[in-house]
mmCIF file of all heavy atoms in Angstrom:
data_model
loop_
_atom_site.group_PDB
_atom_site.id
_atom_site.type_symbol
_atom_site.label_atom_id
_atom_site.label_comp_id
_atom_site.label_asym_id
_atom_site.label_seq_id
_atom_site.Cartn_x
_atom_site.Cartn_y
_atom_site.Cartn_z
ATOM 1 N N THR S 118 -131.205 23.258 87.885
ATOM 2 C CA THR S 118 -131.408 24.132 89.047
ATOM 3 C C THR S 118 -132.905 24.397 89.221
ATOM 4 O O THR S 118 -133.708 24.164 88.302
ATOM 5 C CB THR S 118 -130.700 25.484 88.875
ATOM 6 O OG1 THR S 118 -131.365 26.233 87.824
ATOM 7 C CG2 THR S 118 -129.235 25.295 88.519
ATOM 8 N N ARG S 119 -133.255 24.914 90.379
ATOM 9 C CA ARG S 119 -134.656 25.253 90.644
ATOM 10 C C ARG S 119 -135.171 26.295 89.649
ATOM 11 O O ARG S 119 -136.365 26.293 89.280
ATOM 12 C CB ARG S 119 -134.778 25.755 92.092
ATOM 13 C CG ARG S 119 -136.096 26.405 92.468
ATOM 14 C CD ARG S 119 -137.295 25.479 92.325
ATOM 15 N NE ARG S 119 -138.519 26.190 92.680
ATOM 16 C CZ ARG S 119 -139.161 27.026 91.869
ATOM 17 N NH1 ARG S 119 -138.719 27.256 90.635
ATOM 18 N NH2 ARG S 119 -140.271 27.628 92.285
ATOM 19 N N GLN S 120 -134.301 27.173 89.171
ATOM 20 C CA GLN S 120 -134.700 28.211 88.209
ATOM 21 C C GLN S 120 -135.230 27.596 86.911
ATOM 22 O O GLN S 120 -136.077 28.185 86.231
ATOM 23 C CB GLN S 120 -133.520 29.132 87.909
ATOM 24 C CG GLN S 120 -133.903 30.334 87.054
ATOM 25 C CD GLN S 120 -132.717 31.232 86.750
ATOM 26 O OE1 GLN S 120 -131.674 31.137 87.402
ATOM 27 N NE2 GLN S 120 -132.857 32.096 85.760
ATOM 28 N N ASN S 121 -134.739 26.386 86.575
ATOM 29 C CA ASN S 121 -135.203 25.730 85.354
ATOM 30 C C ASN S 121 -136.708 25.466 85.386
ATOM 31 O O ASN S 121 -137.367 25.471 84.344
ATOM 32 C CB ASN S 121 -134.470 24.413 85.130
ATOM 33 C CG ASN S 121 -132.975 24.594 84.898
ATOM 34 O OD1 ASN S 121 -132.168 23.775 85.333
ATOM 35 N ND2 ASN S 121 -132.587 25.674 84.221
ATOM 36 N N PHE S 122 -137.253 25.236 86.576
ATOM 37 C CA PHE S 122 -138.702 25.045 86.687
ATOM 38 C C PHE S 122 -139.428 26.281 86.162
ATOM 39 O O PHE S 122 -140.386 26.187 85.383
ATOM 40 C CB PHE S 122 -139.105 24.774 88.140
ATOM 41 C CG PHE S 122 -140.593 24.581 88.322
ATOM 42 C CD1 PHE S 122 -141.145 23.314 88.309
ATOM 43 C CD2 PHE S 122 -141.443 25.680 88.485
ATOM 44 C CE1 PHE S 122 -142.515 23.134 88.453
ATOM 45 C CE2 PHE S 122 -142.811 25.513 88.626
ATOM 46 C CZ PHE S 122 -143.349 24.230 88.607
ATOM 47 N N ASP S 123 -138.973 27.445 86.587
ATOM 48 C CA ASP S 123 -139.622 28.696 86.176
ATOM 49 C C ASP S 123 -139.460 28.967 84.688
ATOM 50 O O ASP S 123 -140.290 29.650 84.080
ATOM 51 C CB ASP S 123 -139.042 29.871 86.976
ATOM 52 C CG ASP S 123 -139.271 29.710 88.474
ATOM 53 O OD1 ASP S 123 -140.298 29.124 88.857
ATOM 54 O OD2 ASP S 123 -138.408 30.154 89.262
ATOM 55 N N GLU S 124 -138.409 28.404 84.093
ATOM 56 C CA GLU S 124 -138.145 28.629 82.673
ATOM 57 C C GLU S 124 -138.906 27.663 81.773
ATOM 58 O O GLU S 124 -139.318 28.036 80.674
ATOM 59 C CB GLU S 124 -136.645 28.478 82.401
ATOM 60 C CG GLU S 124 -135.781 29.534 83.084
ATOM 61 C CD GLU S 124 -134.303 29.177 83.047
ATOM 62 O OE1 GLU S 124 -133.980 28.020 82.691
ATOM 63 O OE2 GLU S 124 -133.477 30.033 83.390
ATOM 64 N N TRP S 125 -139.103 26.434 82.216
ATOM 65 C CA TRP S 125 -139.575 25.373 81.327
ATOM 66 C C TRP S 125 -140.961 24.818 81.635
ATOM 67 O O TRP S 125 -141.603 24.242 80.764
ATOM 68 C CB TRP S 125 -138.595 24.188 81.351
ATOM 69 C CG TRP S 125 -137.193 24.547 80.962
ATOM 70 C CD1 TRP S 125 -136.777 25.580 80.152
ATOM 71 C CD2 TRP S 125 -136.000 23.873 81.360
ATOM 72 N NE1 TRP S 125 -135.414 25.590 80.029
ATOM 73 C CE2 TRP S 125 -134.905 24.543 80.761
ATOM 74 C CE3 TRP S 125 -135.737 22.757 82.157
ATOM 75 C CZ2 TRP S 125 -133.581 24.135 80.939
ATOM 76 C CZ3 TRP S 125 -134.426 22.351 82.341
ATOM 77 C CH2 TRP S 125 -133.366 23.041 81.736
ATOM 78 N N MET S 126 -141.414 24.957 82.876
ATOM 79 C CA MET S 126 -142.653 24.293 83.288
ATOM 80 C C MET S 126 -143.840 25.246 83.234
ATOM 81 O O MET S 126 -143.713 26.447 83.485
ATOM 82 C CB MET S 126 -142.511 23.743 84.712
ATOM 83 C CG MET S 126 -141.343 22.778 84.893
ATOM 84 S SD MET S 126 -141.567 21.220 84.013
ATOM 85 C CE MET S 126 -142.607 20.350 85.180
ATOM 86 N N ILE S 127 -145.017 24.705 82.906
ATOM 87 C CA ILE S 127 -146.249 25.490 83.019
ATOM 88 C C ILE S 127 -146.465 25.779 84.502
ATOM 89 O O ILE S 127 -146.453 24.860 85.321
ATOM 90 C CB ILE S 127 -147.441 24.711 82.425
ATOM 91 C CG1 ILE S 127 -147.237 24.530 80.909
ATOM 92 C CG2 ILE S 127 -148.768 25.430 82.705
ATOM 93 C CD1 ILE S 127 -148.260 23.660 80.234
ATOM 94 N N PRO S 128 -146.661 27.033 84.875
ATOM 95 C CA PRO S 128 -146.556 27.417 86.292
ATOM 96 C C PRO S 128 -147.812 27.141 87.131
ATOM 97 O O PRO S 128 -148.352 28.034 87.777
ATOM 98 C CB PRO S 128 -146.262 28.913 86.209
ATOM 99 C CG PRO S 128 -146.961 29.347 84.969
ATOM 100 C CD PRO S 128 -146.827 28.204 84.003
ATOM 101 N N VAL S 129 -148.265 25.877 87.136
ATOM 102 C CA VAL S 129 -149.425 25.538 87.961
ATOM 103 C C VAL S 129 -149.020 25.179 89.385
ATOM 104 O O VAL S 129 -149.874 24.984 90.252
ATOM 105 C CB VAL S 129 -150.251 24.383 87.343
ATOM 106 C CG1 VAL S 129 -150.887 24.834 86.034
ATOM 107 C CG2 VAL S 129 -149.390 23.146 87.129
ATOM 108 N N TYR S 130 -147.716 25.070 89.655
ATOM 109 C CA TYR S 130 -147.210 24.836 91.009
ATOM 110 C C TYR S 130 -146.199 25.924 91.366
ATOM 111 O O TYR S 130 -145.636 26.570 90.485
ATOM 112 C CB TYR S 130 -146.500 23.473 91.116
ATOM 113 C CG TYR S 130 -147.315 22.306 90.636
ATOM 114 C CD1 TYR S 130 -146.917 21.560 89.526
ATOM 115 C CD2 TYR S 130 -148.489 21.931 91.290
ATOM 116 C CE1 TYR S 130 -147.665 20.480 89.084
ATOM 117 C CE2 TYR S 130 -149.239 20.857 90.854
ATOM 118 C CZ TYR S 130 -148.827 20.133 89.748
ATOM 119 O OH TYR S 130 -149.572 19.080 89.305
ATOM 120 N N ALA S 131 -145.971 26.071 92.657
ATOM 121 C CA ALA S 131 -144.915 26.955 93.158
ATOM 122 C C ALA S 131 -144.034 26.129 94.089
ATOM 123 O O ALA S 131 -144.156 26.205 95.311
ATOM 124 C CB ALA S 131 -145.519 28.142 93.894
ATOM 125 N N PRO S 132 -143.151 25.292 93.514
ATOM 126 C CA PRO S 132 -142.378 24.372 94.359
ATOM 127 C C PRO S 132 -141.365 25.084 95.245
ATOM 128 O O PRO S 132 -141.001 26.237 95.012
ATOM 129 C CB PRO S 132 -141.684 23.462 93.345
ATOM 130 C CG PRO S 132 -141.675 24.209 92.068
ATOM 131 C CD PRO S 132 -142.851 25.119 92.092
ATOM 132 N N ALA S 133 -140.906 24.351 96.246
ATOM 133 C CA ALA S 133 -139.919 24.871 97.199
ATOM 134 C C ALA S 133 -138.658 25.317 96.469
ATOM 135 O O ALA S 133 -138.408 24.941 95.317
ATOM 136 C CB ALA S 133 -139.580 23.794 98.222
ATOM 137 N N ALA S 134 -137.847 26.089 97.159
ATOM 138 C CA ALA S 134 -136.619 26.634 96.568
ATOM 139 C C ALA S 134 -135.538 25.570 96.391
ATOM 140 O O ALA S 134 -134.573 25.790 95.661
ATOM 141 C CB ALA S 134 -136.093 27.770 97.438
ATOM 142 N N PHE S 135 -135.686 24.424 97.049
ATOM 143 C CA PHE S 135 -134.689 23.352 96.937
ATOM 144 C C PHE S 135 -135.254 22.195 96.119
ATOM 145 O O PHE S 135 -136.476 22.037 95.990
ATOM 146 C CB PHE S 135 -134.263 22.864 98.326
ATOM 147 C CG PHE S 135 -135.379 22.260 99.145
ATOM 148 C CD1 PHE S 135 -135.617 20.886 99.129
ATOM 149 C CD2 PHE S 135 -136.195 23.054 99.942
ATOM 150 C CE1 PHE S 135 -136.644 20.332 99.882
ATOM 151 C CE2 PHE S 135 -137.226 22.508 100.702
ATOM 152 C CZ PHE S 135 -137.449 21.147 100.672
ATOM 153 N N ILE S 136 -134.347 21.376 95.566
ATOM 154 C CA ILE S 136 -134.757 20.194 94.800
ATOM 155 C C ILE S 136 -134.291 18.946 95.549
ATOM 156 O O ILE S 136 -133.088 18.726 95.712
ATOM 157 C CB ILE S 136 -134.167 20.201 93.382
ATOM 158 C CG1 ILE S 136 -134.676 21.408 92.583
ATOM 159 C CG2 ILE S 136 -134.510 18.901 92.651
ATOM 160 C CD1 ILE S 136 -134.147 21.474 91.151
ATOM 161 N N PRO S 137 -135.216 18.114 96.023
ATOM 162 C CA PRO S 137 -134.817 16.859 96.662
ATOM 163 C C PRO S 137 -134.201 15.912 95.626
ATOM 164 O O PRO S 137 -134.684 15.827 94.491
ATOM 165 C CB PRO S 137 -136.138 16.288 97.186
ATOM 166 C CG PRO S 137 -137.116 17.426 97.144
ATOM 167 C CD PRO S 137 -136.669 18.302 96.029
ATOM 168 N N VAL S 138 -133.145 15.216 96.014
ATOM 169 C CA VAL S 138 -132.496 14.295 95.071
ATOM 170 C C VAL S 138 -132.337 12.878 95.622
ATOM 171 O O VAL S 138 -132.147 11.937 94.864
ATOM 172 C CB VAL S 138 -131.105 14.823 94.635
ATOM 173 C CG1 VAL S 138 -131.248 16.090 93.807
ATOM 174 C CG2 VAL S 138 -130.185 15.060 95.830
ATOM 175 N N ARG S 139 -132.435 12.728 96.933
ATOM 176 C CA ARG S 139 -132.230 11.401 97.524
ATOM 177 C C ARG S 139 -132.999 11.326 98.836
ATOM 178 O O ARG S 139 -133.129 12.326 99.542
ATOM 179 C CB ARG S 139 -130.736 11.172 97.779
ATOM 180 C CG ARG S 139 -130.386 9.777 98.287
ATOM 181 C CD ARG S 139 -128.870 9.589 98.315
ATOM 182 N NE ARG S 139 -128.201 10.428 99.304
ATOM 183 C CZ ARG S 139 -128.049 10.076 100.587
ATOM 184 N NH1 ARG S 139 -128.531 8.926 101.035
ATOM 185 N NH2 ARG S 139 -127.418 10.882 101.421
ATOM 186 N N ALA S 140 -133.513 10.135 99.132
ATOM 187 C CA ALA S 140 -134.254 9.975 100.387
ATOM 188 C C ALA S 140 -134.214 8.523 100.824
ATOM 189 O O ALA S 140 -134.081 7.609 100.008
ATOM 190 C CB ALA S 140 -135.694 10.432 100.216
ATOM 191 N N GLU S 141 -134.349 8.351 102.128
ATOM 192 C CA GLU S 141 -134.420 7.016 102.709
ATOM 193 C C GLU S 141 -135.318 7.091 103.931
ATOM 194 O O GLU S 141 -135.117 7.946 104.807
ATOM 195 C CB GLU S 141 -133.013 6.554 103.108
ATOM 196 C CG GLU S 141 -132.966 5.109 103.570
ATOM 197 C CD GLU S 141 -131.540 4.651 103.859
ATOM 198 O OE1 GLU S 141 -130.598 5.125 103.176
ATOM 199 O OE2 GLU S 141 -131.381 3.829 104.767
ATOM 200 N N GLY S 142 -136.333 6.226 103.988
ATOM 201 C CA GLY S 142 -137.292 6.317 105.080
ATOM 202 C C GLY S 142 -138.011 7.646 105.024
ATOM 203 O O GLY S 142 -138.606 8.010 104.015
ATOM 204 N N SER S 143 -137.934 8.417 106.106
ATOM 205 C CA SER S 143 -138.546 9.753 106.135
ATOM 206 C C SER S 143 -137.497 10.856 106.233
ATOM 207 O O SER S 143 -137.783 11.969 106.686
ATOM 208 C CB SER S 143 -139.533 9.850 107.304
ATOM 209 O OG SER S 143 -140.661 9.038 107.055
ATOM 210 N N THR S 144 -136.288 10.540 105.789
ATOM 211 C CA THR S 144 -135.207 11.536 105.748
ATOM 212 C C THR S 144 -134.816 11.761 104.298
ATOM 213 O O THR S 144 -134.702 10.807 103.523
ATOM 214 C CB THR S 144 -133.996 11.055 106.571
ATOM 215 O OG1 THR S 144 -134.428 10.774 107.904
ATOM 216 C CG2 THR S 144 -132.913 12.119 106.613
ATOM 217 N N LEU S 145 -134.629 13.012 103.951
ATOM 218 C CA LEU S 145 -134.450 13.405 102.548
ATOM 219 C C LEU S 145 -133.303 14.405 102.447
ATOM 220 O O LEU S 145 -133.040 15.157 103.388
ATOM 221 C CB LEU S 145 -135.774 14.009 102.087
ATOM 222 C CG LEU S 145 -135.985 14.497 100.678
ATOM 223 C CD1 LEU S 145 -137.452 14.285 100.300
ATOM 224 C CD2 LEU S 145 -135.643 15.974 100.553
ATOM 225 N N TRP S 146 -132.615 14.407 101.304
ATOM 226 C CA TRP S 146 -131.509 15.342 101.077
ATOM 227 C C TRP S 146 -131.715 16.076 99.762
ATOM 228 O O TRP S 146 -132.220 15.508 98.783
ATOM 229 C CB TRP S 146 -130.175 14.591 101.041
ATOM 230 C CG TRP S 146 -129.805 13.981 102.357
ATOM 231 C CD1 TRP S 146 -129.044 14.528 103.349
ATOM 232 C CD2 TRP S 146 -130.196 12.678 102.841
ATOM 233 N NE1 TRP S 146 -128.937 13.660 104.414
ATOM 234 C CE2 TRP S 146 -129.625 12.522 104.132
ATOM 235 C CE3 TRP S 146 -130.968 11.639 102.316
ATOM 236 C CZ2 TRP S 146 -129.811 11.367 104.892
ATOM 237 C CZ3 TRP S 146 -131.166 10.490 103.074
ATOM 238 C CH2 TRP S 146 -130.583 10.360 104.348
ATOM 239 N N ASP S 147 -131.300 17.359 99.744
ATOM 240 C CA ASP S 147 -131.439 18.145 98.516
ATOM 241 C C ASP S 147 -130.128 18.162 97.733
ATOM 242 O O ASP S 147 -129.164 17.460 98.086
ATOM 243 C CB ASP S 147 -131.944 19.561 98.830
ATOM 244 C CG ASP S 147 -130.940 20.424 99.601
ATOM 245 O OD1 ASP S 147 -129.746 20.045 99.688
ATOM 246 O OD2 ASP S 147 -131.350 21.503 100.102
ATOM 247 N N GLN S 148 -130.097 18.957 96.671
ATOM 248 C CA GLN S 148 -128.922 19.011 95.792
ATOM 249 C C GLN S 148 -127.665 19.442 96.531
ATOM 250 O O GLN S 148 -126.553 19.072 96.147
ATOM 251 C CB GLN S 148 -129.180 19.980 94.636
ATOM 252 C CG GLN S 148 -130.165 19.479 93.597
ATOM 253 C CD GLN S 148 -130.453 20.542 92.558
ATOM 254 O OE1 GLN S 148 -130.725 21.693 92.891
ATOM 255 N NE2 GLN S 148 -130.406 20.169 91.282
ATOM 256 N N GLU S 149 -127.854 20.239 97.573
ATOM 257 C CA GLU S 149 -126.706 20.749 98.330
ATOM 258 C C GLU S 149 -126.295 19.816 99.466
ATOM 259 O O GLU S 149 -125.356 20.113 100.206
ATOM 260 C CB GLU S 149 -127.033 22.133 98.926
ATOM 261 C CG GLU S 149 -127.618 23.137 97.941
ATOM 262 C CD GLU S 149 -126.718 23.340 96.741
ATOM 263 O OE1 GLU S 149 -125.493 23.454 96.946
ATOM 264 O OE2 GLU S 149 -127.238 23.381 95.605
ATOM 265 N N GLY S 150 -127.030 18.713 99.627
ATOM 266 C CA GLY S 150 -126.721 17.787 100.706
ATOM 267 C C GLY S 150 -127.395 18.120 102.019
ATOM 268 O O GLY S 150 -127.145 17.465 103.034
ATOM 269 N N LYS S 151 -128.250 19.138 102.025
ATOM 270 C CA LYS S 151 -128.967 19.490 103.252
ATOM 271 C C LYS S 151 -130.011 18.430 103.575
ATOM 272 O O LYS S 151 -130.718 17.949 102.684
ATOM 273 C CB LYS S 151 -129.637 20.857 103.101
ATOM 274 C CG LYS S 151 -130.406 21.305 104.345
ATOM 275 C CD LYS S 151 -131.005 22.693 104.166
ATOM 276 C CE LYS S 151 -131.882 23.070 105.346
ATOM 277 N NZ LYS S 151 -132.444 24.425 105.225
ATOM 278 N N GLU S 152 -130.148 18.103 104.863
ATOM 279 C CA GLU S 152 -131.056 17.045 105.300
ATOM 280 C C GLU S 152 -132.400 17.627 105.757
ATOM 281 O O GLU S 152 -132.455 18.682 106.376
ATOM 282 C CB GLU S 152 -130.413 16.284 106.468
ATOM 283 C CG GLU S 152 -131.277 15.159 107.020
ATOM 284 C CD GLU S 152 -130.734 14.609 108.318
ATOM 285 O OE1 GLU S 152 -129.732 13.876 108.249
ATOM 286 O OE2 GLU S 152 -131.311 14.927 109.397
ATOM 287 N N TYR S 153 -133.475 16.909 105.437
ATOM 288 C CA TYR S 153 -134.824 17.283 105.855
ATOM 289 C C TYR S 153 -135.520 16.060 106.443
ATOM 290 O O TYR S 153 -135.312 14.941 105.974
ATOM 291 C CB TYR S 153 -135.660 17.769 104.663
ATOM 292 C CG TYR S 153 -135.081 18.941 103.917
ATOM 293 C CD1 TYR S 153 -134.075 18.750 102.967
ATOM 294 C CD2 TYR S 153 -135.547 20.233 104.136
ATOM 295 C CE1 TYR S 153 -133.528 19.825 102.277
ATOM 296 C CE2 TYR S 153 -135.016 21.313 103.443
ATOM 297 C CZ TYR S 153 -134.006 21.106 102.515
ATOM 298 O OH TYR S 153 -133.480 22.171 101.833
ATOM 299 N N ILE S 154 -136.380 16.288 107.423
ATOM 300 C CA ILE S 154 -137.315 15.250 107.866
ATOM 301 C C ILE S 154 -138.628 15.489 107.115
ATOM 302 O O ILE S 154 -139.162 16.603 107.105
ATOM 303 C CB ILE S 154 -137.554 15.304 109.390
ATOM 304 C CG1 ILE S 154 -136.235 15.082 110.136
ATOM 305 C CG2 ILE S 154 -138.588 14.243 109.791
ATOM 306 C CD1 ILE S 154 -135.569 13.735 109.916
ATOM 307 N N ASP S 155 -139.122 14.434 106.479
ATOM 308 C CA ASP S 155 -140.268 14.549 105.580
ATOM 309 C C ASP S 155 -141.570 14.252 106.327
ATOM 310 O O ASP S 155 -141.920 13.097 106.545
ATOM 311 C CB ASP S 155 -140.084 13.578 104.407
ATOM 312 C CG ASP S 155 -141.199 13.681 103.385
ATOM 313 O OD1 ASP S 155 -142.072 14.557 103.537
ATOM 314 O OD2 ASP S 155 -141.202 12.877 102.438
ATOM 315 N N PHE S 156 -142.273 15.321 106.717
ATOM 316 C CA PHE S 156 -143.591 15.182 107.324
ATOM 317 C C PHE S 156 -144.703 15.346 106.281
ATOM 318 O O PHE S 156 -145.879 15.288 106.618
ATOM 319 C CB PHE S 156 -143.798 16.243 108.415
ATOM 320 C CG PHE S 156 -142.998 16.017 109.673
ATOM 321 C CD1 PHE S 156 -142.629 17.101 110.466
ATOM 322 C CD2 PHE S 156 -142.620 14.750 110.075
ATOM 323 C CE1 PHE S 156 -141.912 16.912 111.636
ATOM 324 C CE2 PHE S 156 -141.895 14.548 111.245
ATOM 325 C CZ PHE S 156 -141.534 15.634 112.026
ATOM 326 N N ALA S 157 -144.325 15.571 105.012
ATOM 327 C CA ALA S 157 -145.308 15.769 103.947
ATOM 328 C C ALA S 157 -145.709 14.447 103.300
ATOM 329 O O ALA S 157 -146.855 14.273 102.874
ATOM 330 C CB ALA S 157 -144.746 16.721 102.893
ATOM 331 N N GLY S 158 -144.761 13.533 103.208
ATOM 332 C CA GLY S 158 -145.058 12.209 102.656
ATOM 333 C C GLY S 158 -145.612 12.247 101.241
ATOM 334 O O GLY S 158 -146.415 11.402 100.856
ATOM 335 N N GLY S 159 -145.149 13.246 100.456
ATOM 336 C CA GLY S 159 -145.673 13.345 99.089
ATOM 337 C C GLY S 159 -147.167 13.627 99.068
ATOM 338 O O GLY S 159 -147.876 13.245 98.134
ATOM 339 N N ILE S 160 -147.678 14.315 100.096
ATOM 340 C CA ILE S 160 -149.109 14.569 100.338
ATOM 341 C C ILE S 160 -149.838 13.231 100.534
ATOM 342 O O ILE S 160 -150.717 12.844 99.758
ATOM 343 C CB ILE S 160 -149.776 15.435 99.247
ATOM 344 C CG1 ILE S 160 -148.885 16.621 98.841
ATOM 345 C CG2 ILE S 160 -151.138 15.941 99.748
ATOM 346 C CD1 ILE S 160 -149.495 17.552 97.817
ATOM 347 N N ALA S 161 -149.419 12.525 101.572
ATOM 348 C CA ALA S 161 -150.053 11.265 101.997
ATOM 349 C C ALA S 161 -149.886 10.144 100.967
ATOM 350 O O ALA S 161 -150.712 9.237 100.892
ATOM 351 C CB ALA S 161 -151.532 11.479 102.324
ATOM 352 N N VAL S 162 -148.810 10.195 100.195
ATOM 353 C CA VAL S 162 -148.555 9.174 99.168
ATOM 354 C C VAL S 162 -147.542 8.138 99.641
ATOM 355 O O VAL S 162 -147.737 6.927 99.461
ATOM 356 C CB VAL S 162 -148.060 9.843 97.864
ATOM 357 C CG1 VAL S 162 -147.466 8.815 96.908
ATOM 358 C CG2 VAL S 162 -149.199 10.599 97.194
ATOM 359 N N ASN S 163 -146.458 8.589 100.242
ATOM 360 C CA ASN S 163 -145.354 7.684 100.581
ATOM 361 C C ASN S 163 -145.668 6.904 101.858
ATOM 362 O O ASN S 163 -145.115 7.154 102.921
ATOM 363 C CB ASN S 163 -144.050 8.485 100.751
ATOM 364 C CG ASN S 163 -143.696 9.248 99.496
ATOM 365 O OD1 ASN S 163 -143.972 8.809 98.388
ATOM 366 N ND2 ASN S 163 -143.095 10.413 99.663
#
């Protein structure tokens, strides 16, 4: 879960409340199956 980040990771980031698990092209889905359009591109990486 997203809470695991707060428990286990050194807190140098503040990630979004959802965890992406699958993506194709510029469309992405989180653990709950919610769809997102990705305008971030991994910060100009993808």
Side-chain angles (χ1 to χ4, degrees):
T118 68
R119 169 61 181 80
Q120 187 181 344
N121 296 144
F122 179 94
D123 299 328
E124 295 167 348
W125 302 334
M126 303 292 278
I127 295 174
V129 294
Y130 307 115
F135 62 93
I136 298 181
V138 293
R139 185 172 67 86
E141 187 176 327
S143 291
T144 304
L145 182 148
W146 294 268
D147 68 14
Q148 288 175 312
E149 310 304 317
K151 180 178 174 178
E152 179 191 285
Y153 302 81
I154 299 298
D155 183 4
F156 288 152
I160 317 183
V162 166
N163 301 327

